[in-house]
Amino acid sequence: SDGTRGAVAALKAGLRVVDEHAASLGATDLRVHSAAHRRDLTELGLRTAVRTGRVARIFEWAERGRARTLLFRPVRPPDDPVLAELLVRVREAAHGPPGRLAALERQVRDHCRIHGDGTGADHADPVSLTALRAALAGRVLVQYVQWDGVLHALTLAGRRLRWRPLGTATDVTALLDRLPFALHRMARPGVRPDSKAAAATLLRATAARLDELLLRPLPEIGDRPLVVVPTGALHSLPWSILPSCAGRPVSVAPSATSWHEAATRAPNRTGDVLVAAGPGLSGGTVEAAEVASIHGTTPMSDATTAVVLDGLATARLAHLAAHGTLSAQNPLFSSLLLADGPLVGYDLERLPRLPDTVVLAACDSGRSVVLAGDELLGLGVTFLGRGTASLVASVVPVPDAQTAPLMVALHHALAQGRCPADALAAAQREVPGDDPAAVAAAAGFVCLGR
């Protein structure tokens, strides 16, 4: 009707104003938090689309309501000695009094907010279904949408787009809360065998129930590779534990539009392979040496932040093994621990480019803080926002001593020319199912992006 068309036009005009404001901001965290102003507009647009019953319109508004700021041109933080010195001081204070570190982090944040340079919005519409079908090329898109307390799935398999309810979102969230406990118990050294077996039983039961809720109602996915667009707590789900995903290539993306952009971008095939390990990892040095030998390069042990950042700026593929930390309060200070202290998201934002493919053998390195509108903040999403097309990283804590076999198998597959999602699935298939620690180490890794 004319009234519906007018309302939709007004909603889109409102979104353009909000996006123009967000893109003008010179700091990533400000952009992401400003997306809260989009939520009411996109929810009203989705409600209007659902009333029409047209699934293509539902998809369009579901896309408009998620991870929009990742589609803006990246912010340009100030490349000045003040910021560089502040980040050095953050590293030096990492093991000092917490108050001192918090004060320095605030200085970095405020400096970027005041002196950063916004870029202006591109006003890109969501990817068209025609373009998305062509790029999927045999894959199936599964996009989750939470609406009125109910979790729904949009699937694009072949030429058909489907929309169906799955169940209450709280049921899924309650199950997700069990996973870290089970995986930690399976991986922790010194735990009694019967306790590890009980944890493995809990993991299998929880995974089976999640599978029944999330994927079993979608017979159209068949056995084809998946592109999954999560919502809310599903961003932290280790998808490989689900029976329907076992051994299947799965790419996890913030939105269908961002996946399409990464999938159709010409890969960066120039540059070397960077392999580096941080301190304090029981198997990190050996892992780095084995991975480096696959690619014919020299590993860097106990690498410093400056050396790793220089390498990231010129590499096409990077493997970093380090202790990882997600900072829930200040997600851009989520970090990888290197020899001279933490490498944080603000360090990555200062680089002109990042490798096309990055592997982070580090706890929680692929996990993000999820904000309104499925906007994401964290170390892993910073890689994606700065141009990395594929990021293999963990969304849960992982036992570093048990990750080496998975990483070696992954890089053998990458060296053979397999795409990261295929390579990760192949490596996870090789994990012995009777070794709880190995299962826990492999389960947490996902392929983010392309």
Side-chain angles (χ1 to χ4, degrees), residues 183-198:
L183 290 168
H184 179 72
R185 181 61 60 90
M186 291 167 63
R188 186 177 176 183
V191 174
R192 297 192 316 272
D194 60 332
S195 183
K196 286 194 175 187

Side-chain angles (χ1 to χ4, degrees), residues 48-432:
T48 302
V50 171
R51 281 203 301 266
T52 70
R54 296 179 60 178
V55 183
R57 287 189 179 177
I58 296 173
F59 169 78
E60 176 190 345
W61 280 98
E63 276 293 288
R64 290 187 186 278
R66 66 176 70 236
R68 173 64 183 173
T69 57
L70 272 177
L71 302 175
F72 297 163
R73 290 190 296 276
V75 297
R76 295 190 294 272
D79 187 14
D80 60 49
V82 174
L83 179 58
E85 175 61 24
L86 284 173
L87 289 169
V88 169
R89 290 163 64 188
V90 165
R91 280 184 269 283
E92 293 173 346
H95 300 292
R100 172 63 175 159
L101 178 60
L104 286 167
E105 289 181 348
R106 284 195 297 271
Q107 288 184 55
V108 170
R109 182 199 63 193
D110 294 344
H111 187 80
C112 290
R113 287 179 175 182
I114 294 170
H115 299 287
D117 187 8
T119 59
D122 294 324
H123 299 313
D125 287 327
V127 60
S128 72
L129 289 172
T130 300
L132 187 56
R133 288 188 185 98
L136 285 169
R139 304 175 186 87
V140 176
L141 173 76
V142 181
Q143 183 176 89
Y144 294 97
V145 180
Q146 185 173 326
W147 185 61
D148 282 352
V150 176
L151 194 66
H152 294 72
L154 279 162
T155 62
L156 181 58
R159 298 198 59 79
R160 186 170 177 187
L161 181 68
R162 298 172 174 87
W163 161 259
R164 57 165 69 84
L166 299 176
T168 62
T170 54
D171 288 345
V172 174
T173 302
L175 289 166
L176 290 173
D177 290 341
R178 302 178 187 178
L179 297 179
F181 169 80
L183 290 168
H184 179 72
R185 181 61 60 90
M186 291 167 63
R188 186 177 176 183
V191 174
R192 297 192 316 272
D194 60 332
S195 183
K196 286 194 175 187
T201 299
L202 174 62
L203 179 67
R204 287 192 296 270
T206 304
R209 180 61 183 142
L210 284 168
D211 203 47
E212 290 173 2
L213 291 171
L214 297 175
L215 291 175
R216 292 292 183 185
L218 314 176
E220 63 271 20
I221 69 174
D223 59 357
R224 288 176 285 183
L226 300 181
V227 175
V228 174
V229 179
T231 187
L234 290 178
H235 284 284
S236 296
L237 174 59
W239 290 89
S240 69
I241 68 168
L242 304 188
S244 293
C245 292
R248 185 202 300 253
V250 178
S251 300
V252 182
S255 69
T257 305
S258 66
W259 177 84
H260 177 266
E261 196 278 331
T264 55
R265 184 194 315 153
N268 179 11
R269 303 189 186 281
T270 62
D272 299 321
V273 176
L274 168 68
V275 181
L281 294 176
S282 56
T285 301
V286 173
E287 175 186 309
E290 293 189 61
V291 169
S293 68
I294 295 170
H295 299 286
T297 191
T298 302
M300 294 185 291
S301 298
D302 289 339
T304 65
T305 305
V307 171
V308 169
L309 289 173
D310 284 345
L312 287 173
T314 57
R316 58 180 173 81
L317 168 65
H319 175 95
L320 304 179
H323 286 299
T325 302
L326 174 69
S327 175
Q329 297 302 316
N330 295 290
L332 284 171
F333 284 103
S334 299
S335 63
L336 299 174
L337 181 61
L338 299 177
D340 59 338
L343 182 155
V344 301
Y346 285 106
D347 290 307
L348 298 177
E349 288 196 332
R350 300 181 68 227
L351 297 180
R353 62 176 290 275
L354 285 169
D356 189 71
T357 301
V358 175
V359 179
L360 300 180
C363 293
D364 288 325
S365 53
R367 193 155 66 94
S368 298
V369 174
V370 185
L371 300 166
D374 277 313
E375 295 288 348
L376 306 174
L377 273 178
L379 190 72
V381 76
T382 302
F383 274 98
L384 298 180
R386 304 298 293 189
T388 294
S390 299
L391 173 72
V392 176
S394 178
V395 292
V396 295
V398 292
D400 60 88
Q402 279 75 35
T403 60
L406 179 77
M407 294 294 103
V408 170
L410 167 69
H411 280 277
H412 273 301
L414 290 174
Q416 293 165 5
R418 302 181 75 164
C419 75
D422 290 347
L424 178 60
Q428 288 171 328
R429 284 195 295 268
E430 296 184 19
V431 175

